[in-house]
Amino acid sequence: MSASILTIGNELVSGDVANTNASWLARRLAPLGVDVQLMAVLPDEIDAIAEFVRSEAPRVDFLLVTGGLGGTPDDLTREALAAAFRVPQEEVPEVAADLRARFTRNPEYAARWALLPRGSRPLANPLGGAPGFAIENVYVLPGLPSEMEAMFASIEEEFRRGSPIESWHRIYETYESVISASLAETGERWPNVLVGSYPSFGNGGFTVEVVLKSSDAVALAAASAWLESAIEESGGR
């Protein structure tokens, strides 16, 4: 199963806030058997978000969207998703009633969070006010990391499909050029195993982190055993 992740916010595009939501979601989806194929960041612009959702949602099994669900003028995700699916926004009565009861200081301000695209399924926000929602294969979650993580935890079993994507990691004191042929041969021998290498230079000298990933546990074990032996033969340690 495949997924794309869209995070929304002017503060993310400008670099003022680190985009931690996308990497957190990718790490949580892999054990559920879902392969993240794309991560994207967009500003709070209705047309840009709607265009992305219309083009990306049909390409994947799940599109996860985070951000823009609050009550400030730049929180436009509900409007953008309604535009993407070409449907109006409608108040969900039970959600609006709950928000009015919880936020008694300004109940009508909070009730606006219940204006969801027609056909949406509300998603409860365990740690905050604004609900998320799901419409077709698009899941919309809050941007605040604590709220996003809690909401995803409450629905993550909806994403469980097939075998989990497992990984094998090793760090070697070597150069990427020394082991590149072995990395390439691993990919050729086991095409359903993703091969990655990440060089770095620290106080201890040059190192390369090698990462293999696959939902096929047998292939991953065979590929990692072969590659480990090949790297050791080339002088890596």
Side-chain angles (χ1 to χ4, degrees):
M1 303 294 284
S2 61
S4 291
I5 299 172
L6 170 63
T7 50
I8 296 172
N10 296 332
E11 71 280 7
L12 300 175
V13 175
S14 66
D16 292 335
V17 174
N19 182 16
T20 59
N21 283 353
S23 56
W24 187 92
L25 284 168
R27 290 194 300 270
R28 288 295 288 263
L29 287 166
L32 301 173
V34 181
D35 178 37
V36 174
Q37 299 185 345
L38 180 145
M39 296 179 180
V41 184
L42 287 176
D44 298 289
E45 297 177 4
I46 290 176
D47 291 343
I49 297 167
E51 181 180 355
F52 179 89
V53 170
R54 279 196 295 266
S55 64
E56 189 63 21
R59 294 184 56 252
V60 291
D61 296 297
F62 305 111
L63 172 59
L64 288 85
V65 180
T66 77
L69 294 180
T72 58
D74 62 347
D75 290 320
L76 302 171
T77 300
R78 285 179 291 270
E79 291 85 345
L81 268 291
F85 286 94
R86 297 182 174 89
V87 296
Q89 290 178 258
E90 296 178 338
E91 183 180 282
V92 182
E94 60 272 23
V95 175
D98 175 70
L99 291 169
R100 289 186 177 99
R102 291 170 56 198
F103 296 90
T104 55
R105 290 187 179 181
N106 198 338
E108 294 312 311
Y109 175 85
R112 290 184 297 177
W113 301 335
L115 288 169
L116 304 182
R118 178 184 290 171
S120 297
R121 172 167 57 97
L123 302 175
N125 189 336
L127 297 183
F133 58 94
I135 178 169
E136 296 189 11
N137 67 328
V138 181
Y139 288 73
V140 182
L141 313 175
L144 190 65
S146 59
E147 294 185 14
M148 184 276 296
E149 293 171 13
M151 186 177 293
F152 182 83
S154 71
I155 61 171
E156 66 179 325
E157 287 304 315
E158 296 186 23
F159 300 93
R160 189 176 297 280
R161 299 290 192 278
S163 301
I165 300 170
E166 299 179 357
S167 60
W168 175 89
H169 299 251
R170 293 291 187 279
I171 296 177
Y172 292 97
E173 295 178 5
T174 187
Y175 296 91
E176 201 170 29
S177 58
V178 174
I179 63 174
S180 61
S182 297
L183 297 173
E185 187 171 347
T186 302
E188 293 169 359
R189 286 176 176 241
W190 293 275
N192 57 342
V193 175
L194 181 67
V195 181
S197 61
Y198 311 101
S200 62
F201 180 75
N203 294 333
F206 283 99
T207 62
V208 180
E209 181 182 11
V210 178
V211 180
L212 305 185
K213 293 186 176 183
S214 180
S215 59
D216 185 336
V218 174
L220 181 62
S224 59
W226 183 90
L227 180 60
E228 192 167 30
S229 175
I231 292 176
E232 289 174 357
E233 289 179 5
S234 69
R237 58 186 179 89

